[in-house]
Amino acid sequence: MSKKNILTGIKPTGTPHIGNYLGAIKPALKDMHNSDNNYKLFVADYHAHTTVKDAKLFQEYVYEIAATWLACGLDPDKVTFYAQVDVPELFELTWLLSCHTPKGDLNRAHAYKALVQENIDKGNKDPDHGVNMGLFTYPLLMAADILLFDTNLVPVGKDQIQHVEIARSIASRINALYKTEVLVEPESLVVDEVAVVPGLDGRKMSKSYDNTIPLFCSEKRLKKLVNRITSDSSAADAPKDPDSSLVFKYYQLFASKDESKAFREELMKGISWGVAKAQLFEKINDEIKGPREIYNNLMENKEQIDKLLQAGAIKARAVAVENMKRIRKQLLGY
Ligand code: ADP
Ligand code: TRP
């Protein structure tokens, strides 16, 4: 079987939390490192500019996301790891793709449609209020991200499937028009959320809800956040119901089956929430402390992150320049 080109992007829009770690980073790394395929992972910094409009904050997010993946074990020798900003060919391709995209396809993109609907619901006179062209053409830059590298498979969450479909339909339209395979038609590889990690308030953990446990917060902060998890007011030695407890849910996410079973039994026998939370803290911290040290180290030596991203960009551009030459020749004749 020939090797597949697999590519995905991560948008730097906030501090990564344990939901991102368990639901996305950990499973993706396992997959990448166990695979013989050509993996590319990039920081979708230009996509983040549709919403993040503060350069200092922007830089912070980019370094945080890059350092997080590296600290969690991303091996830059196995995965081409780069930032969008270092691949200018993306913009040439975006333009060419835009000339083959009916505007209606972008009108129908979920993210844009949701914003329009919000304006209508709020009684705004302009349905496009607050929509910048970056948001509107977001799927085109994403299509360029994918198509520039002859990508076969794009691992994405359910919310991004439509964007991959848009890329696929642009590729197929161009191929049909030029009667040759100018662009590889990509497919999405839908990654089911391994488990939805609940936030401190019981809803889904998300930066938008302000209910997160940041993945690499200090040990002290982690302890504080764990202690803040809501628990009932039963007596210290009263039996606790593991299945209705957030403490147990978090514990399970980090522990082996046997460890979870033992913890369940302890709770049912009756230990205080204080003791249970101390055990939970240890469990999370055991897994995180090694990567946290690497993360802090990288964040204090950002030039190391720059260097790794630059090395990745050299590899990515070698492909991008060649492919762009080929596509330009096929579409424009020069
Ligand atoms: P957020 O909701 O905090 O903005 P993102 O939308 O940036 O998170 O998600 C980035 C990745 O992390 C996605 O692949 C998403 O499926 C995963 N993810 C986010 N929150 C959770 C969660 N609570 N549980 C499991 N996976 C999550
Ligand atoms: N839009 C994706 C997200 O919000 C990030 C992204 C940008 C991406 N370009 C991509 C993902 C290309 C896969 C392939 O999560």
Side-chain angles (χ1 to χ4, degrees), residues 64-80:
E64 278 183 2
I65 204 89
T68 296
W69 281 80
L70 291 165
C72 291
L74 180 125
D75 177 353
D77 289 330
K78 282 210 161 142
V79 178
T80 305

Side-chain angles (χ1 to χ4, degrees), residues 76-150:
D77 289 330
K78 282 210 161 142
V79 178
T80 305
F81 184 51
Y82 60 97
Q84 236 174 2
V85 70
D86 292 318
V87 186
E89 289 73 24
L90 287 170
F91 291 96
E92 184 178 354
L93 185 57
T94 301
W95 174 259
L96 294 178
L97 299 180
S98 78
C99 298
H100 293 268
T101 309
K103 177 170 173 283
D105 283 9
L106 298 186
N107 287 340
R108 283 184 287 276
H110 298 321
Y112 169 66
K113 260 173 68 177
L115 289 171
V116 169
Q117 194 56 49
E118 212 179 295
N119 281 327
I120 293 171
D121 293 347
K122 280 188 192 152
N124 245 322
K125 265 199 232 108
D126 178 7
D128 282 329
H129 177 78
V131 178
N132 61 57
M133 283 303 286
L135 277 170
F136 185 67
T137 60
Y138 186 108
L140 284 178
L141 177 57
M142 181 156 162
D145 288 330
I146 297 168
L147 300 176
L148 183 58
F149 294 102
D150 292 338

Side-chain angles (χ1 to χ4, degrees), residues 32 69 79 230 233 285:
M32 286 173 188
W69 281 80
V79 178
T230 13
S233 52
N285 199 45

Side-chain angles (χ1 to χ4, degrees), residues 13 17 19-20 22-24 157 193 195-198 204-208:
T13 46
H17 50 73
N20 302 137
L22 294 166
E193 268 176 23
V196 173
V197 177
K204 176 186 178 234
M205 185 176 290
S206 170
K207 341 182 226 297
S208 335

